[in-house]
Amino acid sequence: MNAREDGPPEAPAADDGTRVPPDVWDLTLYVAGQTPKSVVALTNLRRICEEHLEGRYQIHVVDLLKDPGLARAHQIVAIPTLVRGIPQPLRKIIGDLSATERVLVGLDVRRQDG
Amino acid sequence: MADRGEISTGKERTGRSPVSTRRTDLQVADLRRRLEEAEETIRAIRAGEVDAFVMTTAGRDDVFALEIAADPYRRLVENMQQGAVTLGPDGAVLFCNQRFAEMLQVPAMEVFGRRLQSYLMESDWALWGALEREAIERGAAHGEIVLEPPRASPVPVHVALAPFGRGAVGMSVMVTDLSDQKRHEAVLAAETLSKSILEQAADAIVVCDAAGMIIRTSHVAEELCGRNAMLLPFDSVFPLAVSGGGPIDAPTQRVSLREVLEGKTVRGLEVLLRREDGGPAHLLMSAAPLKQDRRTVGCVVTLTDITDQKAAERLLRESDRKKDEFLAVLGHELRNALGPVRNANQILDRADAGEDDLRAARAMLDRQVTHMTRLIDDLLDVSRIAQGKILLRKELFDIGALVRTVAADHRSLLEAGDLRLELSVSGEPIWTAGDPVRISQVVGNLLQNAAKFTDPGGRVTVSAEPAGDSVLVEVRDTGIGMSPEVAASAFDFFSQSESSRDRSRGGLGLGLALARGLVELHGGHLRADSEGPGLGSRFTVRLPLDRRVDATSPRGHRPGLRRAALRILIVEDNQDMAESLGILLRLEGHRVETARTGAAGVELARKLRPDVVLCDLGLPGGMDGYSVAARLRADPITCRTHLVALSGYADEDARSRAVKAGFDQHLSKPVSLETIDEVLAHVVPN
């Protein structure tokens, strides 16, 4: 998947065509209690953020066991699922986030790394 | 709304206008995104990265989690009392059980993925690093560190680390909460503290349970009861009675802990403790119930031993009583002396008194005045010794000769009491250094004491002999003797007042106290012995044979009295004193004038240019004796006049102050004519 080409026209764009990096990445991880994959996903997410987005992210953990209705907002089907709310556009990554490289590409983080 | 409509219809079309083309692009992108999402979901499921699903049935969302094979272990770990944590190679928490999250008082989800170090006290980071290295090197490590929960107080924990995996090493950590144990240690420390308080406290401290059984005692408390009192009833270990309330064993006076255990507080109650050995101990008792949740669980009793203070108090009261008795005796003695004085005075006034009567009256006056003077001199000497204000004028003298002289002086006194005087002094001189006037006073006092306490027909023996580097002077009598108690207190001031039997013998009882004080001033020792009442007494003076005083300058060399007529000015506000002294001096052949104030004295002195001014120190009218002396010294007419101060004060301070003011000499009242004669003999007339 090529994040550059798929960038939506609404996203703020600089003259050279690359997006201005957002101040804070807003990430939501949907989990189901403490299922092993949920735990692993959260652990991986924290590690990746700390390594690549240090000081520029916030993570919301939504436990669908407690409130299944919250799945609707982002049409969650499989758990765990990570949703990137900011920067736009919305992105979803399904699974325990153990393949770091794929997560970085999926979140479009590589661009910021240059 | 219109836009949306356009979008929905635009799905089917190919873009012709720029706007509709854009819409179409968006729709394509959205579709592609959905497709990718679906592919991603399938990929994740096939890769086993998903273990729960959201299912929508009948419009309601439910979450279904997949059961997994490791579930029993999971439950085991979740239910452990210890915290269990697994860390990735970077130190981040891969997993933790519920118990560990509870220790940190945060949801478990908050912990996952965070570095464990972020929950440790910063001061423990180095220790934690060392534990990790040790675990990797040796396969295991453990130690004590402190967790720092983000929103709660620190938790001391024991951690056991074990590495797992090859290459990049992860770590499993078992965490045991030590809070309770630490609290226990704190309790132990508090116990140690209270124990050392009980060890060190100067008071007896006893802690009892609700039944009045002793459960703790201070070191002093154990000493007080003389045994280990643990688990014995307080009331039987410490049989206390209210002090001053009758006999100790009277049941009504017994002190029981019952009231204290019922909630009463006792403060500073004086009690007596019957002791197995010796007399009762006098104690100050304080006691208060120990409460826990408003329930009395025991009491604390403090007992302060005030036996010594009580004894001191008693002594103080005793000496106060003796002082009162002494004052009564003093009044009595002075009155006894004044009676004959008044009578003699009346005899002298009588025109019809014969020459013999007049002579007897004069002798009587002289004796009584001598007696009173001696009483007062003794009193002053006693107070001067007590204040350390007596100065010895030491010289070398033959104490044998001194004893012979003093004995001879007292022979008539002894014989008047029908007592025989025996003298046992060797003919060889016994040279010693000291103040002969004071040593004479000592020997004289001992002889007077012997005369006083020996009945007619008895014998008084005086001896003086060298004994090694001391000289012993002994005065023995065949008198009433002393019990050991009386002998022990014979030298105390006012001690004679003690026994009413002695009252008949007169005197103030100062003589022996004075004698001992003077002997001790000489570095010597005076002791009293008696075989018992009725068996006589022996007083022994031991003086060091100190010959270090220069023998070539003995005192006592006095030039013969010279009788030259002098002009004398007496400045004295007491008219009787001025007049009587004036008469006596005129009878001696001098010319005498008197002035009653300082100012008048100064004026008269300038006019008369006297050879001698005898000046009282305490004068009325604003100018005292010191000022008079200063004025006369400052005036060229009177600056060479011989100035003699007369004062009621006999101490060295008064003397030196007078000399400083300009006086040549200082005489303390009463002044005998002999003394004044001696002073005047040295004055050269102008």
Side-chain angles (χ1 to χ4, degrees):
Chain A
M1 164 172 24
N2 190 327
R4 200 175 294 233
E5 283 175 11
D6 290 346
E10 300 90 37
D15 287 345
D16 62 356
T18 57
R19 275 189 301 278
V20 172
D23 283 327
V24 175
W25 288 52
D26 189 82
L27 304 170
T28 305
L29 183 66
Y30 287 89
V31 298
Q34 290 178 44
T35 64
K37 298 301 175 190
S38 297
V39 169
V40 170
L42 180 55
T43 305
N44 285 331
L45 177 61
R46 288 227 166 98
R47 178 175 46 77
I48 291 166
C49 287
E50 219 22 60
E51 280 171 12
H52 299 277
L53 293 171
E54 192 190 338
R56 292 183 288 136
Y57 68 94
Q58 57 184 20
I59 296 173
H60 310 280
V61 178
V62 176
D63 186 351
L64 293 177
L65 269 188
K66 285 182 186 159
D67 193 351
L70 294 176
R72 290 261 166 119
H74 288 131
Q75 297 169 337
I76 304 300
V77 175
I79 297 171
T81 293
L82 174 66
V83 175
R84 185 187 80 177
I86 297 173
Q88 288 283 351
L90 195 115
R91 286 293 178 83
K92 280 185 192 167
I93 300 173
I94 322 288
D96 63 9
L97 312 178
S98 45
T100 304
E101 197 55 31
R102 220 170 48 74
V103 174
L104 290 176
V105 173
L107 282 179
D108 204 6
V109 171
R110 274 294 175 236
R111 180 193 300 277
Q112 271 72 42
D113 284 0
Chain B
M1 288 315 247
D3 274 357
R4 185 160 286 191
E6 249 187 287
I7 290 168
S8 60
T9 50
K11 271 183 191 171
E12 315 299 329
R13 295 181 194 165
T14 55
R16 281 191 299 268
S17 68
V19 170
S20 62
T21 305
R22 193 159 172 212
R23 298 269 183 268
T24 310
D25 287 348
L26 267 176
Q27 286 166 354
V28 170
D30 186 50
L31 276 174
R32 187 184 288 167
R33 188 177 55 77
R34 284 168 187 252
L35 180 61
E36 280 173 357
E37 224 180 271
E39 282 177 345
E40 165 74 356
T41 305
I42 291 164
R43 182 205 58 79
I45 292 170
R46 291 176 66 178
E49 291 185 9
V50 170
D51 60 3
F53 297 93
V54 181
M55 309 288 234
T56 307
T57 41
R60 199 171 139 249
D61 293 323
D62 276 311
V63 173
F64 292 93
L66 301 175
E67 288 292 324
I68 51 168
D71 202 42
Y73 292 105
R74 233 181 111 75
R75 288 181 193 284
L76 180 68
V77 171
E78 278 305 328
N79 290 321
M80 284 192 324
Q81 282 305 300
Q82 283 80 18
V85 186
T86 53
L87 302 177
D90 55 354
V93 176
L94 298 175
F95 170 80
C96 79
N97 67 357
Q98 195 55 37
R99 178 77 187 97
F100 184 70
E102 281 167 16
M103 287 182 196
L104 294 175
Q105 299 190 34
V106 295
M109 296 305 276
E110 194 180 310
V111 183
F112 298 131
R114 291 196 197 280
R115 287 166 61 77
L116 180 65
Q117 193 164 305
S118 65
Y119 295 109
L120 300 183
M121 290 257 271
E122 202 170 332
S123 54
D124 277 352
W125 287 2
L127 172 63
W128 175 253
L131 287 171
E132 280 184 319
R133 281 192 298 279
E134 188 187 336
I136 291 166
E137 278 167 25
R138 303 192 178 180
H142 62 87
E144 284 185 18
I145 55 173
V146 179
L147 294 181
E148 199 168 50
R151 291 175 292 276
S153 13
V155 183
V157 292
H158 175 270
V159 287
L161 292 76
F164 62 79
R166 281 176 236 130
V169 184
M171 197 76 69
S172 70
V173 186
M174 298 294 290
V175 185
T176 310
D177 189 344
L178 297 179
S179 300
D180 287 347
Q181 190 182 328
K182 292 288 177 194
R183 250 195 303 281
H184 190 62
E185 280 171 14
V187 169
L188 283 178
E191 172 78 12
T192 309
L193 174 67
S194 59
K195 233 175 158 173
S196 65
I197 290 173
L198 288 175
E199 279 301 311
Q200 300 301 325
D203 293 334
I205 301 173
V206 184
V207 184
C208 299
D209 65 9
M213 294 293 198
I214 295 172
I215 53 175
R216 288 273 190 291
T217 55
S218 71
H219 189 63
V220 174
E222 240 171 70
E223 282 180 352
L224 191 63
C225 69
R227 56 178 151 155
N228 184 345
M230 287 296 275
L231 298 177
L232 296 174
F234 177 89
D235 289 343
S236 73
V237 175
F238 294 97
L240 301 174
V242 177
S243 161
I248 285 186
D249 290 320
T252 51
Q253 298 302 330
R254 284 300 293 271
V255 176
S256 169
L257 273 199
R258 198 167 39 80
E259 286 187 2
V260 175
L261 291 169
E262 282 167 4
K264 194 181 151 195
T265 300
V266 176
R267 285 269 171 273
L269 178 69
E270 283 192 22
V271 296
L272 291 169
L273 170 66
R274 202 175 14 149
R275 277 189 294 204
E276 308 275 322
D277 53 335
H282 217 115
L283 307 173
L284 211 56
M285 174 184 183
S286 293
L290 274 177
K291 303 234 177 190
Q292 211 164 50
D293 306 328
R294 294 189 185 156
R295 205 164 48 84
T296 299
V297 295
C299 65
V300 181
V301 183
T302 313
L303 300 169
T304 309
D305 194 336
I306 53 169
T307 311
D308 290 348
Q309 285 96 311
K310 280 279 155 187
E313 227 173 77
R314 213 165 32 244
L315 272 180
L316 211 61
R317 269 202 302 273
E318 181 77 355
S319 76
D320 194 47
R321 187 184 59 77
K322 278 190 188 171
K323 187 199 73 192
D324 288 345
E325 276 182 28
F326 172 79
L327 287 175
V329 171
L330 178 62
H332 184 74
E333 286 285 323
L334 291 175
R335 194 187 204 121
N336 281 354
L338 282 172
V341 168
R342 178 175 304 217
N343 292 344
N345 192 38
Q346 282 175 0
I347 294 168
L348 293 177
D349 270 354
R350 297 281 291 248
D352 55 348
E355 193 57 38
D356 287 350
D357 293 337
L358 290 176
R359 198 181 302 115
R362 280 193 286 270
M364 206 180 299
L365 273 178
D366 189 52
R367 261 200 314 280
Q368 293 304 331
V369 169
T370 303
H371 177 61
M372 276 200 284
T373 306
R374 204 178 59 231
L375 284 180
I376 290 164
D377 282 350
D378 278 1
L379 270 178
L380 293 175
D381 277 352
V382 162
S383 99
R384 269 178 259 170
I385 285 182
Q387 295 174 56
K389 281 187 173 169
I390 280 205
L391 276 185
L392 295 179
R393 288 153 202 244
K394 282 199 173 185
E395 61 188 70
L396 206 54
F397 67 99
D398 172 9
I399 196 168
L402 181 140
V403 168
R404 272 195 297 273
T405 308
V406 175
D409 287 349
H410 285 76
R411 187 174 291 277
S412 59
L413 170 75
L414 293 167
E415 284 171 354
D418 194 16
L419 298 172
R420 195 147 45 89
L421 175 66
E422 285 178 8
L423 201 57
S424 163
V425 182
S426 76
E428 289 291 306
I430 308 166
W431 294 104
T432 187
D435 186 335
V437 174
R438 293 304 189 180
I439 298 299
S440 301
Q441 201 177 348
V442 169
V443 179
N445 281 357
L446 294 178
L447 284 170
Q448 284 155 32
N449 182 70
K452 199 179 291 176
F453 293 103
T454 308
D455 292 325
R459 189 177 68 242
V460 176
T461 313
V462 188
S463 67
E465 58 180 12
D469 54 1
S470 306
V471 56
L472 295 183
V473 177
E474 213 171 73
V475 177
R476 271 197 310 272
D477 63 52
T478 57
I480 62 171
M482 295 173 283
S483 65
E485 296 81 59
V486 173
S489 65
F491 299 113
D492 294 348
F493 290 133
F494 324 139
S495 75
Q496 196 201 310
S497 309
E498 193 110 57
S499 158
S500 59
R501 188 161 59 129
D502 297 339
R503 279 282 45 78
S504 57
R505 305 192 184 252
L508 293 174
L510 291 176
L512 291 180
L514 202 50
R516 186 183 60 172
L518 291 172
V519 168
E520 285 175 357
L521 272 182
H522 280 82
H525 183 73
L526 172 58
R527 58 175 293 171
D529 297 287
S530 174
E531 300 290 316
L535 298 173
S537 305
R538 186 177 66 215
F539 289 86
T540 314
V541 178
R542 180 183 287 272
L543 287 173
L545 274 178
D546 184 355
R547 289 163 180 156
R548 277 171 301 173
V549 171
D550 185 1
T552 61
S553 59
R555 201 186 63 158
H557 170 74
R558 288 160 192 170
L561 295 183
R562 199 160 33 112
R563 300 268 174 195
L566 298 169
R567 274 169 299 164
I568 300 173
L569 172 63
I570 300 172
V571 187
E572 166 68 81
D573 62 315
N574 182 326
Q575 199 166 359
D576 285 347
M577 182 68 165
E579 204 168 297
S580 59
L581 193 57
I583 292 168
L584 287 171
L585 290 175
R586 277 190 205 102
L587 290 174
E588 292 288 316
H590 304 293
R591 280 181 56 196
V592 182
E593 295 289 335
T594 58
R596 291 177 62 184
T597 65
V602 171
E603 201 182 318
L604 213 51
R606 284 174 53 87
K607 207 163 78 189
L608 297 174
R609 303 191 179 200
D611 301 307
V612 178
V613 174
L614 300 174
C615 184
D616 185 25
L617 286 181
L619 289 170
M623 189 189 278
D624 63 9
Y626 300 113
S627 311
V628 170
R631 280 285 193 82
L632 295 181
R633 280 286 175 253
D635 192 322
I637 299 172
T638 55
C639 65
R640 299 187 63 186
T641 309
H642 192 82
L643 301 181
V644 179
L646 304 176
S647 92
Y649 302 100
D651 55 85
E652 282 302 318
D653 284 353
R655 190 181 304 275
S656 68
R657 197 176 157 206
V659 169
K660 208 180 251 175
F663 283 105
D664 293 295
Q665 270 174 302
H666 174 277
L667 300 177
S668 57
K669 292 181 188 174
V671 186
S672 71
L673 187 59
E674 288 79 37
T675 310
I676 291 187
D677 265 349
E678 199 181 317
V679 167
L680 297 181
H682 295 276
V683 177
V684 182
N686 286 341

